[in-house]
């Protein structure tokens, strides 16, 4: 084997790596996505080596210029990635040798791929978390816009998918805003947890060189260096945090997608979606199917799968570094790509969605949704306990059911049959709009509450 083709660690090896192992051992097709972070980390590491007089300035500058040249080559698609050199770190180092010769051999002083890879990966996950947060902000804004135009849109709120109580459609949409806000917080918290720089812990035990980890940490935008070298190279909590936050966010989006699918069905007919968000059937000419929503729902499984795979990978690993961990990149990249697309498509979906206001209102009168309001009226006006009032309300429902009438179709005489000392103003409790507006308790669905919430949220998401 000519030296030119040898991997950097070949000195003690008599045979080349088996081809079949090379196939799964090489991660370059995946981790080349870390090239910017890898080169940045190497440049800062070199600057530190110069500052600490571990290498000469002249040599350091050659290394840095070589690295910048490589960055340019990769950016312009002129870099030839080679599986033989396993991963992004060794591909870059190998190329550095061909550009600046033996000076390249000084770059890896006081560093190991073990600290290098997590430095790269932490930087990348920070960037990805920020991008996710940005897209969640856009999604929240679209939900806010839709809720603003639907404050007076009344629909049945469901529990167990049975009509429960009337709500404002805006209030329902704002529920998702709360979920997405928590998702954002999770990604923001992760950025804080991630904020300790691994660079300089070496393979696992630290290094005998007089390095300055505070310098590299600061230059790379971390709050501080990590405290324990063994933990540093063993730790993939930051990967799990990302995957878990992505999974929870994907789960929220999937619930939203599921509701769109149900509400768009010919049975519910609560919403319509723009043609851009529908597809046709190859056999049934009448069909318009909500494929994008279905795909979002289906793809949440990929996010959960990545989390499950990573947890399983980690659970049996003794300290510290093992090659098992190399699989983490693919899981995170897949999960991120999937989630980002799901967020963007959800944004398109919410924009393209039209509530069928008449159907929503009609349906909110189905299923005796104001039965609780009637019971509450009796407690508040007729001095009854809630349990007594509940029984009277149940009697009224039985009567309405028997007469095949909705509660708002009953007349005062019929209601009086159930309880004879009622005031005529009781009849307003069967009006769903009135029901909504009575829910003035903090966080309830009254118009007043919703307006307040929307204006507060609009200030938060300008
Ligand atoms: N590509 C490797 C990974 O992502 C880099 C670390 C390699 N370290 C080692 N000791 N083989 O895990």
């Amino acid at each position: 084997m000519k030296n030119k083709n040898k991997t950097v660690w070949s000195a003690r090896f008599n045979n080349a790596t088996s081809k079949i192992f090379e196939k799964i051992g090489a991660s370059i097709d995946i981790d080349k996505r870390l090239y910017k972070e890898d080169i940045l980390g190497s440049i800062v590491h070199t600057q530190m080596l110069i500052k600490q007089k571990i290498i000469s300035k002249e040599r350091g500058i050659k290394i840095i210029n070589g690295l910048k040249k490589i960055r340019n080559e990769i950016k312009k698609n002129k870099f030839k990635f080679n599986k033989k050199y396993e991963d992004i770190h060794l591909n870059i180092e190998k190329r550095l040798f061909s550009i600046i010769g033996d000076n390249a051999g000084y770059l890896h002083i006081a560093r190991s791929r073990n600290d290098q890879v997590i430095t790269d990966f932490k930087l990348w996950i920070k960037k990805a978390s920020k991008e996710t947060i940005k897209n969640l902000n856009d999604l929240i804004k679209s939900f806010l816009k839709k809720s603003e135009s639907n404050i007076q849109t009344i629909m049945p709120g469901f529990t167990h998918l049975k009509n429960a109580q009337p709500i404002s459609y805006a209030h329902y949409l704002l529920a998702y805003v709360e979920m997405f806000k928590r998702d954002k917080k999770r990604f923001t918290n992760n950025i804080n947890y991630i904020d300790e720089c691994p660079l300089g812990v070496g393979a696992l035990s630290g290094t005998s060189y007089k390095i300055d980890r505070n310098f590299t940490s600061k230059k790379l935008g971390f709050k501080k260096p990590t405290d324990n070298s063994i933990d540093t190279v063993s730790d993939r909590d930051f990967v799990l945090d990302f995957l878990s936050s992505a999974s929870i966010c994907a789960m929220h989006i999937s619930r939203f997608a599921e509701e769109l699918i149900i509400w768009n069905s010919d049975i519910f007919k609560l919403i319509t979606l723009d043609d851009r968000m529908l597809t046709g059937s190859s056999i049934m000419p009448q069909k318009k199917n909500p494929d994008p929503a279905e795909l979002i729902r289906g793809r949440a499984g990929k996010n959960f799968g990545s989390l499950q795979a990573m947890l399983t990978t980690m659970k049996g690993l003794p300290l510290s570094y093992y090659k098992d961990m190399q699989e983490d990149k693919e899981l995170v990249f897949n999960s991120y790509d999937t989630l980002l697309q799901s967020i963007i498509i959800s944004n398109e979906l919410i924009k393209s969605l039209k509530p069928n206001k008449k159907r929503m209102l009609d349906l909110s009168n189905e299923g005796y949704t104001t039965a609780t309001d009637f019971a509450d009226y009796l407690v508040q006006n007729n001095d009854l306990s809630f349990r007594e009032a509940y029984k009277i309300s149940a009697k009224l429902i039985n009567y309405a059911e028997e007469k095949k009438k909705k509660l708002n179709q009953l007349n005062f005489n019929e209601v009086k049959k159930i309880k004879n000392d009622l005031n005529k103003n009781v009849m307003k409790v069967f009006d769903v709009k009135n029901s909504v507006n009575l829910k003035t308790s903090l966080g309830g669905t009254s118009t007043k509450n919703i307006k307040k919430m929307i204006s507060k949220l609009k200030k938060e998401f300008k």
Side-chain angles (χ1 to χ4, degrees), residues 143-160:
F143 267 76
L144 278 178
K145 211 164 167 201
K146 193 62 69 176
S147 42
E148 237 188 327
S149 56
N150 282 290
I151 298 171
Q152 308 292 351
T153 308
I154 311 286
M155 61 171 282
F158 306 101
T159 63
H160 313 268

Side-chain angles (χ1 to χ4, degrees), residues 208 265 337 344 352 378-379 435:
S208 55
S265 70
D337 291 341
I344 293 168
S352 89
L378 296 175
V379 172
S435 162

Side-chain angles (χ1 to χ4, degrees), residues 27 31 87 89 113-114 117 321 326 329:
S27 57
D31 61 25
D87 54 26
H89 324 296
R113 271 187 298 162
N114 295 355
V117 70
Y321 176 84
Q326 177 164 279
K329 261 81 71 195

Side-chain angles (χ1 to χ4, degrees), residues 196-440:
E196 297 188 353
C197 184
L199 198 58
V201 301
L204 82 160
S205 66
T207 176
S208 55
Y209 297 94
K210 298 279 170 277
I211 60 171
D212 183 350
R213 290 191 63 209
N214 285 308
F215 174 88
T216 43
S217 168
K218 202 165 165 200
K219 278 240 160 183
L220 289 171
F222 289 98
K223 238 184 249 151
K224 65 182 269 298
T226 55
D227 285 328
N228 181 300
S229 60
I230 302 169
D231 170 58
T232 303
V233 294
S234 314
D235 168 32
R236 291 296 180 278
D237 292 4
F238 65 97
V239 173
L240 289 164
D241 280 336
F242 181 85
L243 293 174
S244 133
S245 304
S247 294
I248 296 172
C249 182
M251 175 273 290
H252 287 149
I253 287 178
S254 178
R255 292 181 81 173
F256 170 62
E258 166 77 354
E259 286 185 326
L260 294 192
I261 295 159
I262 296 174
W263 294 10
N264 180 61
S265 70
D266 296 314
I267 304 167
F268 273 74
K269 288 198 186 92
L270 282 178
I271 55 154
T272 54
L273 294 165
D274 190 89
D275 277 359
R276 291 179 37 221
M277 289 285 121
L278 298 165
T279 57
S281 151
S282 64
I283 175 170
M284 297 169 280
Q286 85 282 14
K287 290 282 260 172
K288 283 191 175 185
N289 297 325
D291 285 20
E294 288 169 31
L295 275 174
I296 290 177
R297 182 180 59 184
R299 284 171 159 229
K302 288 175 147 186
N303 295 105
F304 306 166
S306 295
L307 172 63
Q308 192 61 42
M310 193 62 202
L311 282 168
T312 312
T313 297
M314 294 308 292
K315 75 176 273 292
L317 291 187
L319 309 185
S320 61
Y321 176 84
Y322 294 85
K323 193 75 163 183
D324 313 43
M325 292 169 171
Q326 177 164 279
E327 295 292 314
D328 59 0
K329 261 81 71 195
E330 189 170 14
L331 298 174
V332 167
F333 294 156
N334 281 344
S335 187
Y336 172 70
D337 291 341
T338 306
L339 180 67
L340 208 64
Q341 283 168 344
S342 293
I343 296 175
I344 293 168
I345 295 174
S346 298
N347 201 342
E348 288 288 303
L349 277 169
I350 188 70
K351 282 183 192 161
S352 89
L353 176 161
K354 279 203 184 69
N356 183 348
K357 295 187 183 182
K358 182 170 176 318
R359 171 86 178 142
M360 282 184 167
L361 184 64
D362 289 350
L363 215 57
S364 68
N365 276 303
E366 297 273 352
Y368 317 105
T369 54
T370 51
T372 313
D373 296 288
F374 180 47
D376 290 338
Y377 175 94
L378 296 175
V379 172
Q380 286 159 353
N381 295 276
N382 291 60
D383 201 22
L384 295 182
S385 80
F386 184 75
R387 278 290 157 253
E388 280 172 298
Y390 181 102
K391 277 186 210 150
I392 295 170
S393 180
K395 255 193 210 160
L396 185 70
I397 310 303
N398 285 340
Y399 173 83
E401 199 172 47
E402 199 185 301
K403 296 284 172 209
K404 296 196 171 23
K405 281 187 171 184
K406 296 172 190 166
L407 286 182
N408 66 341
Q409 291 170 334
L410 297 174
N411 61 46
F412 185 43
N413 285 334
E414 289 174 296
V415 179
K416 269 203 351 206
K417 268 190 211 156
I418 307 296
K419 183 162 171 52
N420 57 19
D421 59 344
L422 289 173
N423 186 302
K424 187 141 199 228
N425 70 8
V426 67
M427 296 309 284
K428 69 174 189 294
V429 302
F430 305 116
D431 171 16
V432 289
K433 193 158 195 165
N434 177 66
S435 162
V436 164
N437 278 321
L438 283 175
K439 307 297 163 33
T440 50

